[in-house]
Amino acid sequence: MLAPIAALLFSVSLLLMGIGLQGTLLPVSGNMAGFSSVDLGLLGTAYFLGFMIGCMHGTRLVRRSGHIRAYLAMTSLAAVVALLHALYVEPVAWWIFRATSGYCFAVLYIVIESWLNARSNNKTRGTVFSVYTAINLTVITVGQMMLVLADPQSFTLFAFAAILVSLSALPIAFTGSASPEQPESVHPRIAKLFRISPVGVAGCFAVGLANGAFWALGPIFAQTEGFSISEIAAFMSAVVLGGALAQWPLGSLSDRMDRRVVMVAAAAIAALAATLLMIVDTPDKLLMVIGGAVFGAGAFPLYTLAVAHANDFADASDAVEVSSGLLLVYSAGAAIGPLLASVSREVAGAPSLFFFTASVHVVLIGYVLWRMAQRMSPEPEHRVTFSESAIAAQTVLSIEPAAVSSEPEQEPEGEPMPKTSGDAGNAT
């Protein structure tokens, strides 16, 4: 099953390892270089703005250039940008570099996921994307732990990140597989999406606000609280692993009850953990790492839960548009969140990052509870499974729910598939 995509998965591992290293290295290095909180927050804002542009226009680039040439071009540009961070240590330059990185990685995800989709079928696609998700979580964590290999202000770690991204091009450059079919371009309509699922849209936007702020300023919070470089890497990795471990238990639970109840529970866990991280004594670093893992366990599965809830109310024919639209909503939140959190941190200090994230989750809880009083949960036979949404939520392309079913289609050709009863990075 995995043999035809082994080279691609190896390429993905190297690429995401480089992304994971950059994601932690840049805030830490920028903080050591004297960047203000707003400067650091704008790094996250710039990245997700570039990512949004890549999501909207990257498909056009791939269609014009082809998968292999687009992949090689974007890895080359992303590697150059990684090195430029070390050569020009200025906030404005780094904002431009991060926006460029966001665009590159969005296009790279489009190539990767269209390739995975083309090399799998209805029986294997769920397994293939599950392996892809596992690789995402694992190698990003490994990349974060590479922060301990050298001084964050030295050229070495920037070079490591560039090397990993560059090496990821080799398996694709030498592959003997034919390029997949060109991906289709989807134009999501946010107003229509909000009419389909207000909670889905609000949930994805709130998760973008909170998680975008965390990715941009989480390493700075740990650094300000006195963590060593190795402890910062451990803290960030604990958050990612906490989210990974909680994803499927919460998702499985949401398949058996009103998903909004599980969303409220997850948001409450995240808010409580964020509060703990605000008030815990700095010397108790083990407790802070545990608190980070609990925060990840509540905050990270929320996006997939929101996507699954939105798909419960969407027609099967709208599935691609829904998932693409929610990704853009998330990216918009992730572009705004770091800036708002950085302003808050500038005023109130490092712990205000988690005051911001806790506040976002509390507001989300209130809104979801209000919506629960306005609208009933769909009947079980009209709901998608969490596994289908988990695949769609972690991809840039967005995969049709029918396409990830473990059963082949039985309907006559040309008739639409009914919604099954039982779902696209990182990222980024």
Side-chain angles (χ1 to χ4, degrees), residues 222-400:
Q223 191 174 23
T224 305
E225 293 297 302
F227 280 42
S228 66
I229 297 301
S230 61
E231 289 167 341
I232 293 172
F235 175 76
M236 295 298 293
S237 297
V239 176
V240 174
L241 293 176
L245 293 174
Q247 179 103 313
W248 293 107
L250 289 177
S252 179
L253 181 63
S254 75
D255 283 340
R256 298 192 291 270
M257 59 191 301
D258 189 337
R259 259 187 248 278
R260 294 170 296 183
V261 174
V262 183
M263 289 180 65
V264 168
I269 291 171
L272 290 173
T275 303
L276 171 67
L277 289 167
M278 280 193 296
I279 64 177
V280 68
D281 290 334
T282 300
D284 200 344
K285 295 176 181 176
L286 177 60
L287 183 58
M288 294 181 73
V289 170
I290 295 173
V294 176
F295 173 78
F300 283 18
L302 265 173
Y303 176 70
T304 312
L305 290 168
V307 172
H309 176 72
N311 277 310
D312 287 342
F313 289 97
D315 293 331
S317 60
D318 292 329
V320 173
E321 182 178 347
V322 167
S323 295
S324 299
L326 291 176
L327 178 63
L328 290 179
V329 170
Y330 168 85
S331 299
I336 298 170
L339 181 58
L340 295 179
S342 64
V343 172
S344 174
R345 183 180 183 275
E346 194 76 19
V347 173
S352 64
L353 166 64
F354 286 102
F355 175 78
F356 174 80
T357 59
S359 299
V360 170
H361 287 107
V362 168
V363 171
L364 177 62
I365 289 171
Y367 181 75
V368 173
L369 290 175
W370 177 73
R371 285 298 306 172
M372 288 175 66
Q374 308 298 314
R375 188 183 197 181
M376 297 293 293
S377 175
E379 296 296 327
E381 62 268 19
H382 297 303
R383 299 172 64 186
V384 301
T385 61
F386 179 80
S387 60
E388 291 173 350
S389 290
I391 293 169
Q394 296 180 42
T395 66
V396 175
L397 285 178
S398 302
I399 308 301
E400 291 273 13

Side-chain angles (χ1 to χ4, degrees), residues 8-21 47 51 71 105 108-109 112-113 116 128-144 215 236-237 240-241 243-244 247-248 300 304 390-396 424-428:
L8 179 62
L9 293 177
F10 182 56
S11 175
V12 169
S13 299
L14 294 171
L15 177 68
L16 295 182
M17 205 177 299
I19 293 175
L21 174 58
Y47 176 85
F51 192 88
Y71 193 93
F105 291 135
L108 289 168
Y109 285 138
I112 291 166
E113 291 158 10
L116 292 175
V128 166
F129 274 85
S130 294
V131 171
Y132 170 62
T133 301
I135 289 174
N136 268 330
L137 298 170
T138 302
V139 299
I140 286 177
T141 301
V142 172
Q144 290 175 333
W215 285 121
M236 295 298 293
S237 297
V240 174
L241 293 176
Q247 179 103 313
W248 293 107
F300 283 18
T304 312
I391 293 169
Q394 296 180 42
T395 66
V396 175
N426 274 44
T428 24

Side-chain angles (χ1 to χ4, degrees), residues 14-15 18 21-22 75 78-80 82-83 146 155-170:
L14 294 171
L15 177 68
L21 174 58
Q22 286 186 68
T75 53
V80 169
L83 294 175
M146 291 178 69
F155 184 76
T156 304
L157 290 180
F158 293 95
F160 281 170
I163 289 169
L164 289 168
V165 173
S166 295
L167 288 176
S168 71
L170 293 181

Side-chain angles (χ1 to χ4, degrees), residues 44-64:
T45 295
Y47 176 85
F48 282 104
L49 285 175
F51 192 88
M52 286 177 63
I53 296 171
C55 289
M56 292 185 289
H57 300 289
T59 303
R60 188 180 310 165
L61 174 65
V62 175
R63 291 176 68 88
R64 183 173 64 248

